[in-house]
């Protein structure tokens, strides 16, 4: 369910912004790089999670255990406000999608409706919320498959004009755009800015995947497998979509969300509604002359952003509720209603959604840029902290002579690469404001305020709870509490509880359904042989065929 949060405005509009800034080649290369970076962080935290799975625990719980309680608190708070700020990013994007049909609408109307729908979904009973997000996730997967198929058709010349599209837009206006500077230096800066813009679609993905792994059967075996499968599915879909976007839409189309914003003059969003961006897929089908399909895709974009916003708010709420359960936040945030919803934590997390109303004072694209800068900083800090958790865990396991059940071939060098890259991206976030023409105080605060906030939460918690060390020594890290129960449960797992066992159970079920369906067809159309009578009687437990094509109940 948590993966549902990744396919939203960060993918739909963020990729369009990256395409406008860097061009199709820069967009594709940025997705490849961020995918590799995300995989390095994922395999690192998968090693941590596979050793001692903890039900409902995220990276912050492992940080408390393997680094220090202060580190766990600061990472838990980071996930709370980082994911909380991602919600108004989705809301502002939804307002931008609505402008596709009503360009002159007041921003307050779509923002309020979007906010009510996102918060309202989170107040649903938990079982209905999870059921709805599951079906919405299926919808998103189907929509992405449709978009990739449609892009392939347009690529091969299957559009209304019948012309072969191919890589035309890679040649005109070009594969890589110049950004801030001319020549090769400008193309390199375009690639860097495109990477920073694309990152918003991947941030917090490894942490969300690992947090749901402990609920699996036989988690020590299943966490690395399912984590890499989930990550592979998302990143492959992203990279193929990045290639498709660069094929169907030119980077100089005025309807894309451009990332080279000038400091706002303070005009309201209504006066700058034409600046609202569209998804590259919507731009592509409109340029192909399939206008009705653009409206349908925009409906899908609205549904995807609503679903992502609801899931992000739910995860942010869970982070605050977990802090309350561990005693690091007021206990009132752990109070739940009769439906299982931590409504006090939900109310506190929903406060961040008010940032979306800044679009009433400035243009939607500018607010999206501010929010994206803050989310990027929070996400890069989270990846840096995840790498630190892994480093301290491996150091403790080595010092105490522990043999790990799972180790990745990429590690520990993958974690070092992930930490170094995350630090560089965090420091270079929205570097464009260093140029005099782009400098603004709001950009500076949005891009770098996340760093002192994280440090203040860490230092503040340490000064408040002086009994905890700054960082545990490797010999002092607790690697054994709860381990015996996990190992015992792992040994008792049935063969069908493993991933290969579950695979063969699914295959056997499909084969049995197919056999029964074929028996039904033979009996229905009167082609059954005498030797098929036993098979025909097994078609249903409560039905029996009478030879006339009708069924009757078995007494």
């Amino acid at each position: 369910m948590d993966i549902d949060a990744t396919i939203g405005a960060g993918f739909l509009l963020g990729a369009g912004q990256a395409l406008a800034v860097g061009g199709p080649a820069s967009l594709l290369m940025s997705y490849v790089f961020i995918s590799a970076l995300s995989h390095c962080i994922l395999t690192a935290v998968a090693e941590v999670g596979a050793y001692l799975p903890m039900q409902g625990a995220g990276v912050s719980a492992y940080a408390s255990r393997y680094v220090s309680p202060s580190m766990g608190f600061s990472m838990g708070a980071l996930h709370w406000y980082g994911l909380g700020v991602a919600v108004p990013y989705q809301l502002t994007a939804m307002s931008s999608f609505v402008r596709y049909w009503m360009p002159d609408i007041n921003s307050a109307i779509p923002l309020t409706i979007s906010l009510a729908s996102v918060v309202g979904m989170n107040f649903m009973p938990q079982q209905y919320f999870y059921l709805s997000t599951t079906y919405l996730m299926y919808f998103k997967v189907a929509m992405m498959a449709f978009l990739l198929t449609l892009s392939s058709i347009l690529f091969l010349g299957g559009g209304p004009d019948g012309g072969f599209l191919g890589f035309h837009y890679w040649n005109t206006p070009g594969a890589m755009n110049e950004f801030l500077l001319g020549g090769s230096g400008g193309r390199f800066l375009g690639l860097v800015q495109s990477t920073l813009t694309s990152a918003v679609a991947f941030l917090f993905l490894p942490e969300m995947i690992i947090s749901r792994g402990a609920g699996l059967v036989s988690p020590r075996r299943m966490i690395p497998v399912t984590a890499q499968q989930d990550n592979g599915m998302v990143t492959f879909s992203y990279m193929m979509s990045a290639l498709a976007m660069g094929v169907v839409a030119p980077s100089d189309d005025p309807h894309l969300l451009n990332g080279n914003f000038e400091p706002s003059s303070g005009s309201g969003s209504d006066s700058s509604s034409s600046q609202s961006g569209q998804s590259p897929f919507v731009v592509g089908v409109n340029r192909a002359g399939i206008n009705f399909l653009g409206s349908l895709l925009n409906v899908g974009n609205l549904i995807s952003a609503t679903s992502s916003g609801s899931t992000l708010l739910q995860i942010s709420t869970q982070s605050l509720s977990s802090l309350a359960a561990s005693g690091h936040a007021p206990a009132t945030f752990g109070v739940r209603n009769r439906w299982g919803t931590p409504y006090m934590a939900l109310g506190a997390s929903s406060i961040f959604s008010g940032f979306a109303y800044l679009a009433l004072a400035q243009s939607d694209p500018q607010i999206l840029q501010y929010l994206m800068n803050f989310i990027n900083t929070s996400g890069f800090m989270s990846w840096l902290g995840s790498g630190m958790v892994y480093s301290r865990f491996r150091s403790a396991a080595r010092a105490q002579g522990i043999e790990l059940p799972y180790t990745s071939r990429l590690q520990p060098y993958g974690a070092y690469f992930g930490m170094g890259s995350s630090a560089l991206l965090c420091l270079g976030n929205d570097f464009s404001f260093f140029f005099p023409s782009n400098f603004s105080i709001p950009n500076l605060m949005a891009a770098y305020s996340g760093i002192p906030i994280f440090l203040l939460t860490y230092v503040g918690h340490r000064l408040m709870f002086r009994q905890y060390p700054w960082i545990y020594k490797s010999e002092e890290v607790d690697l054994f509490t709860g381990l015996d129960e996990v190992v015992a449960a792992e040994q008792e797992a049935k063969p069908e509880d493993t991933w290969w066992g579950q695979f063969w159970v699914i295959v056997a079920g499909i084969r049995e359904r197919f056999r029964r369906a074929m028996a039904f067809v033979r009996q229905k159309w009167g082609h059954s042989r005498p030797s098929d009578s036993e098979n025909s009687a097994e078609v249903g437990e409560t039905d029996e065929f009478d030879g006339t094509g009708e069924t009757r109940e078995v007494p």
Side-chain angles (χ1 to χ4, degrees):
M1 181 273 295
D2 293 341
I3 307 177
D4 172 64
T6 63
I7 308 176
F11 166 70
L12 298 169
L13 281 184
Q17 183 178 346
L19 175 63
V21 173
S26 295
L27 173 64
L28 181 59
M29 286 189 288
S30 65
Y31 266 62
V32 171
F33 173 75
I34 298 296
S35 296
L37 176 56
S38 174
H39 186 70
C40 288
I41 299 298
L42 176 77
T43 53
V45 295
E47 284 193 19
V48 180
Y51 174 73
L52 184 59
M54 292 187 286
Q55 180 67 37
V59 177
S60 59
Y62 294 114
S64 295
R65 182 157 182 161
Y66 301 136
V67 183
S68 73
S70 298
M71 183 68 172
F73 170 76
S74 56
M75 289 200 68
L78 172 68
H79 293 157
W80 170 57
Y81 62 73
L83 293 168
V85 172
V87 177
Y89 182 79
Q90 304 288 334
L91 297 177
T92 307
M94 292 163 66
S95 175
S96 183
F97 293 146
V98 171
R99 293 185 188 283
Y100 180 83
W101 299 292
M102 296 174 284
D104 297 326
I105 190 173
N106 190 303
S107 292
I109 297 174
L111 284 175
T112 303
I113 296 175
S114 302
L115 177 60
S117 62
V118 167
V119 177
M121 284 186 65
N122 277 267
F123 270 107
M124 294 169 58
Q126 293 291 286
Q127 65 269 27
Y128 296 123
F129 175 82
Y130 292 131
L131 184 64
S132 63
T133 53
T134 299
Y135 285 124
L136 287 171
M137 182 62 194
Y138 294 154
F139 169 80
K140 290 184 181 183
V141 172
M143 186 179 73
M144 292 185 69
F146 172 76
L147 291 174
L148 292 178
T149 303
L150 176 64
S151 301
S152 300
I153 294 173
L154 295 177
F155 177 87
L156 296 173
D161 57 1
F164 178 76
L165 184 59
F167 289 95
H168 172 74
Y169 295 135
W170 285 57
N171 296 320
T172 306
M176 299 183 71
N177 295 342
E178 298 175 352
F179 182 64
L180 297 176
L181 298 176
S184 58
R187 287 188 289 273
F188 174 74
L189 292 182
L191 174 61
V192 174
Q193 183 63 28
S194 181
T195 301
L196 290 168
T197 306
S198 301
V200 71
F202 293 84
L203 296 177
F204 300 105
L205 176 62
E207 299 93 320
M208 290 188 290
I209 289 178
I210 294 302
S211 66
R212 72 189 189 95
L216 300 169
V217 177
S218 188
R220 297 189 103 195
R221 288 191 290 260
M222 294 295 290
I223 282 179
V225 175
T226 57
Q228 295 191 53
Q229 287 176 346
D230 291 345
N231 187 67
M233 178 189 68
V234 173
T235 55
F236 175 77
S237 301
Y238 274 178
M239 286 188 288
M240 293 301 296
S241 298
L243 177 61
M245 290 177 187
V247 167
V248 301
S251 60
D252 61 351
D253 191 285
H255 297 97
L256 291 175
L257 184 65
N258 198 309
N260 188 10
F261 298 123
E262 303 243 342
S264 176
S265 61
S267 60
S269 60
D270 295 327
S271 64
S272 58
S273 61
S274 61
Q275 299 177 15
S276 296
Q278 297 175 11
S279 165
F281 290 115
V282 175
V283 171
V285 296
N286 286 337
R287 292 181 69 92
I290 321 175
N291 296 327
F292 77 93
L293 192 55
S295 293
L296 291 179
L297 292 182
N298 208 51
V299 171
N301 293 341
L302 274 171
I303 296 174
S304 298
T306 303
S307 175
S308 296
S310 300
T311 304
L312 288 167
L313 180 57
Q314 198 263 349
I315 302 172
S316 175
T317 301
Q318 283 184 346
S319 298
L320 182 56
S321 179
S322 297
L323 287 175
S326 62
H328 296 298
T332 185
F333 292 127
V335 177
R336 297 176 180 267
N337 60 19
R338 59 190 178 90
W339 293 334
T341 303
Y343 60 93
M344 295 298 294
L346 176 58
S349 301
S350 301
I351 293 176
F352 295 112
S353 301
F355 287 125
Y357 286 92
L358 292 175
L360 300 178
Q362 292 182 308
S363 65
D364 287 354
Q366 191 68 56
I367 299 305
L368 283 168
Q369 184 74 15
Y370 293 157
L371 295 172
M372 186 189 70
N373 288 341
F374 186 85
I375 297 168
N376 277 354
T377 301
S378 302
F380 294 142
M381 292 291 292
S382 180
W383 283 3
L384 186 59
S386 298
M388 183 179 297
V389 171
Y390 167 78
S391 178
R392 296 306 304 159
F393 168 75
R394 281 294 294 264
S395 178
R398 186 169 53 251
Q400 300 181 31
I402 301 298
E403 182 178 354
L404 302 179
Y406 164 74
T407 55
S408 171
R409 295 179 181 178
L410 292 176
Q411 305 305 333
Y413 304 105
Y416 301 153
F417 168 76
M419 294 172 68
S421 300
S422 298
L424 289 176
L425 290 172
C426 186
L427 293 176
N429 188 23
D430 199 19
F431 65 91
S432 61
F433 70 79
F434 286 112
F435 289 76
S437 60
N438 281 14
F439 179 80
S440 70
I441 297 299
N443 275 337
L444 177 66
M445 294 180 62
Y448 292 105
S449 60
I451 298 176
I453 291 175
F454 180 83
L455 295 176
L456 285 174
T457 55
Y458 184 88
V459 174
H461 184 275
R462 173 60 180 80
L463 295 177
M464 185 176 297
F465 298 94
R466 295 179 178 272
Q467 68 271 27
Y468 299 135
W470 286 98
I471 295 179
Y472 286 128
K473 296 179 180 179
S474 299
E475 297 78 8
E476 298 175 349
V477 173
D478 181 10
L479 294 174
F480 297 100
T481 300
L483 182 62
D484 292 339
E485 292 81 356
V486 171
V487 173
E490 198 83 8
Q491 293 174 348
E492 293 176 0
K494 299 177 182 178
E496 58 266 25
D497 290 337
T498 60
W499 70 270
W500 60 89
Q502 293 177 351
F503 172 76
W504 287 115
V505 168
I506 294 173
V507 171
I510 295 174
R511 184 177 59 183
E512 177 64 16
R513 290 185 179 90
F514 180 76
R515 185 186 68 81
R516 293 187 175 190
M518 293 304 297
F520 171 78
V521 170
R522 287 195 298 267
Q523 184 67 24
K524 181 74 174 178
W525 297 101
H527 297 305
S528 62
R529 300 183 301 273
S531 59
D532 296 331
S533 58
E534 292 182 5
N535 290 339
S536 298
E538 296 176 358
V539 173
E541 296 181 357
T542 61
D543 293 335
E544 182 179 82
F545 293 96
D546 59 6
T548 65
E550 301 294 330
T551 61
R552 60 182 177 85
E553 275 197 5
V554 177

